[in-house]
Amino acid sequence: LDIELMTAEFVPLTRCSSSEKIITAYEAGAKYFGENKIQEATDKIDDVNLQDVGWHFIGHLQKNKIKYLDSKFDLIHSVDSLSLAEKISNHCESQDSIQLVLLQVNISGEESKFGMLPSELIAQLSVFAKLKEVSYKTKDGEDKKKVQVDAILPWEDGDRLSKAELESDVPF
């Protein structure tokens, strides 16, 4: 088993944390912060006003809340559908910005969980690739117009779809 040396980013969740606590964490070395309520987050980001930190949105993002993004988040962890990615792309186009996102895939198939099914992701990869204002993050941390899959995904019927099979269909 090959294990690559990887770096990890510590992203403390700041929901229900005061601006003072966030600043204390920053002074202790935290450089990234996570929020899961977009309206609360935008107010907090403005209040804290630290220029050299990164903000991650880690919660479920409703389409009607996209207007609150305004380039405040370095990364959105929870793009769970093509229609959400399209709305983010349209919003960013109007703001002349590009949003870095992670695509959320529901590999368990549980209906109570958010995310695209693997089959939906496969079917929609070419459309994701055409979204000009959405960028995807690769495992090495680079922002690229590419979706990279780093695991073997369980398929709906119990078969498995390998990384090589998936990447052979990626039009990036």
Side-chain angles (χ1 to χ4, degrees):
L1 182 72
D2 290 333
I3 299 176
E4 294 182 34
L5 182 59
M6 296 175 54
T7 58
E9 295 174 354
F10 175 62
V11 183
L13 176 63
T14 58
R15 180 174 180 230
C16 301
S17 296
S18 68
S19 298
E20 293 78 22
K21 286 185 179 181
I22 295 169
I23 291 169
T24 299
Y26 168 76
E27 289 170 348
K31 297 295 182 195
Y32 302 95
F33 298 95
E35 278 288 338
N36 65 349
K37 302 270 186 195
I38 196 157
Q39 287 171 277
E40 293 173 18
T42 55
D43 292 341
K44 195 178 295 184
I45 291 167
D46 290 340
D47 188 42
V48 170
N49 196 29
L50 295 170
Q51 301 304 313
D52 61 337
V53 301
W55 290 90
H56 293 209
F57 186 78
I58 61 173
H60 176 67
L61 180 57
Q62 297 172 334
K63 292 174 193 152
N64 65 340
K65 306 286 183 176
I66 291 170
K67 61 188 172 204
Y68 297 106
L69 289 176
D70 293 329
S71 302
K72 293 187 184 286
F73 294 94
D74 298 290
L75 179 61
I76 298 175
H77 287 238
S78 51
V79 175
D80 60 5
S81 69
L82 176 59
S83 61
L84 178 60
E86 289 171 330
K87 288 203 177 264
I88 292 169
S89 181
N90 290 337
H91 175 78
C92 290
E93 184 176 17
S94 72
Q95 302 291 314
D96 195 29
S97 65
I98 293 176
Q99 180 63 60
L100 185 60
V101 303
L102 298 176
L103 301 177
Q104 184 176 5
V105 180
N106 180 348
I107 61 172
S108 72
E110 292 179 51
E111 290 184 21
S112 63
K113 305 290 183 194
F114 291 107
M116 297 168 272
L117 294 174
S119 59
E120 292 173 305
L121 176 64
I122 300 299
Q124 298 170 347
L125 278 175
S126 62
V127 182
F128 277 109
K130 293 175 184 171
L131 298 177
K132 295 177 184 166
E133 283 70 28
V134 176
S135 185
Y136 309 96
K137 190 163 185 135
T138 64
K139 73 174 183 174
D140 58 7
E142 294 183 36
D143 303 349
K144 293 188 178 174
K145 196 65 170 168
K146 175 177 176 159
V147 176
Q148 183 166 339
V149 177
D150 298 312
I152 295 175
L153 302 173
W155 200 246
E156 294 170 329
D157 62 3
D159 290 339
R160 295 179 77 75
L161 180 69
S162 73
K163 175 181 175 181
E165 291 171 311
L166 176 60
E167 289 182 343
S168 68
D169 292 334
V170 177
F172 297 82

